Amino acid sequence: MKQQKLMEESISGLIVRTFFSKLEQHLAVDVAIVGAGPSGLVAARDLANAGFKVAIFESKLAPGGGVWGGGMLMNEVVIQDDAAQIINEFGITTVKADDGYHTADSVEMAAGLIFGARKAGAVIFNAMAVEDVVVHNGVIAGVVVNWNPVRRLDMHVDPLVVTARAVLDGTGHPSEIVAKVVQKAGIKVCSPTGGIVGEKPMWMEDGERTTVENTMRLSPGLYASGMAANNVQGGFRMGPIFGGMLKSGRKIARIIAEDLSK
Ligand code: 48F
């Protein structure tokens, strides 16, 4: 007589099969986005909506980057008039305030950005860190991934590789991926020094403007958005105002889409 499957076996089996199928389908993607902060999530949604295969790798358990904490753990953020529309497209509510600013509940914004990117078709691998890049003849051709707990515990475990036609560094302040490219691969990037200039201190107005200006292709196959872009070019930081991050995500999605369509 056939033995009936136990519930425990069915549940574990479903998780293992669906996860590995998802991973296998994303071992070669059009765009690998490193970091699920606001700029990366906006870029992911735009690129997925444009029909590209997008995978986001986020080292933390919860995607959303620096959005959740608002300003000093007060869970509201501020967005300028000309960028509010971008999160409204995700269905996130903004409340108009004085002087051309809007506020948004940071928990709704983080959750909404994640949901919007995922619903557009971008797949998010959380608790998975990018520890290196793939370089073929000077062209960035993918990312090297491992479980973040493995990295944190400094375990000697070899990683896996995801190939990509474009790699976006959306890792925020440290621009971890560009650092690998410059320091380890010895590739010069498009910046005043050919390397990472380093983020400057607080100046909200200038930082917001330059975040968008600094968003660009850095070398063949490599792009940066958000604070990572600012760190590379030496822009100012700006704290809990997010218009620049949203516009940066939108701008880099357009640049990547144009490059991949050539
Ligand atoms: O820093 P983050 O939110 O990126 P962003 O889009 O936005 C910056 C703002 O949140 C804020 C600000 C606004 O004015 O200044 O800081 O530039 O999110 C970056 C994400 O990248 C993840 C990290 O956990 C965070 O969620 N991350 C960093 N390094 C890696 C990574 C890595 N090596 N692999 C995977 N994820």
Side-chain angles (χ1 to χ4, degrees):
M1 201 172 74
K2 197 172 167 243
Q3 203 182 342
Q4 207 189 341
K5 249 207 248 171
L6 298 175
M7 187 180 176
E8 286 82 354
E9 199 186 327
S10 300
I11 303 298
S12 301
L14 277 171
I15 290 172
V16 169
R17 282 192 298 278
T18 50
F19 177 79
F20 282 106
S21 147
K22 183 161 66 180
L23 182 60
E24 192 171 22
Q25 283 166 35
H26 291 84
L27 292 177
V29 294
D30 292 318
V31 190
I33 298 180
V34 191
S39 66
L41 289 166
V42 168
R45 178 175 178 271
D46 282 0
L47 285 161
N49 276 337
F52 294 102
K53 191 177 198 179
V54 181
I56 310 176
F57 300 94
E58 167 53 54
S59 57
K60 295 204 178 113
L61 185 57
V67 176
W68 297 102
M72 213 176 121
L73 281 185
M74 295 173 223
N75 64 3
E76 290 283 328
V77 297
V78 177
I79 296 137
Q80 302 88 324
D81 249 339
D82 62 344
Q85 166 65 26
I86 298 176
I87 55 169
N88 295 153
E89 288 169 23
F90 283 74
I92 299 162
T93 303
T94 50
V95 179
K96 203 164 174 34
D98 297 335
D99 301 328
Y101 297 122
H102 294 243
T103 58
D105 178 296
S106 69
V107 174
E108 179 183 341
M109 179 165 154
L113 289 172
I114 298 163
F115 188 70
R118 182 68 196 98
K119 276 293 164 198
V123 167
I124 305 175
F125 293 100
N126 57 335
M128 217 183 263
V130 172
E131 60 173 50
D132 210 340
V133 287
V134 183
V135 184
H136 291 165
N137 301 318
V139 177
I140 310 308
V143 290
V144 178
V145 298
N146 214 329
W147 296 116
N148 200 32
V150 166
R151 189 170 74 151
R152 287 250 186 107
L153 292 169
D154 204 17
M155 292 166 83
H156 190 159
V157 178
D158 269 324
L160 290 178
V161 174
V162 172
T163 58
R165 296 166 68 205
V167 172
L168 172 61
D169 186 337
T171 63
H173 298 265
S175 57
E176 278 186 43
I177 306 311
V178 182
K180 288 280 177 214
V181 169
V182 170
Q183 289 155 14
K184 205 170 167 187
I187 291 174
K188 276 197 188 322
V189 295
C190 180
S191 80
T193 60
I196 295 176
V197 178
E199 182 187 296
K200 292 201 182 80
M202 181 73 84
W203 181 5
M204 287 194 179
E205 198 171 351
D206 201 75
E208 278 294 280
R209 181 177 50 78
T210 57
T211 298
V212 185
E213 287 173 11
N214 290 338
T215 298
M216 61 181 81
R217 173 159 38 86
L218 295 173
S219 72
L222 178 69
Y223 304 77
S225 64
M227 284 315 296
N230 249 4
N231 189 46
V232 174
Q233 308 295 340
F236 283 86
R237 64 180 302 197
M238 74 298 290
I241 176 141
F242 279 81
M245 298 301 136
L246 304 172
K247 289 200 278 184
S248 167
R250 178 138 290 177
K251 178 179 173 186
I252 205 67
R254 183 172 41 74
I255 294 171
I256 293 173
E258 278 169 14
D259 283 356
L260 295 189
S261 303
K262 276 176 192 160

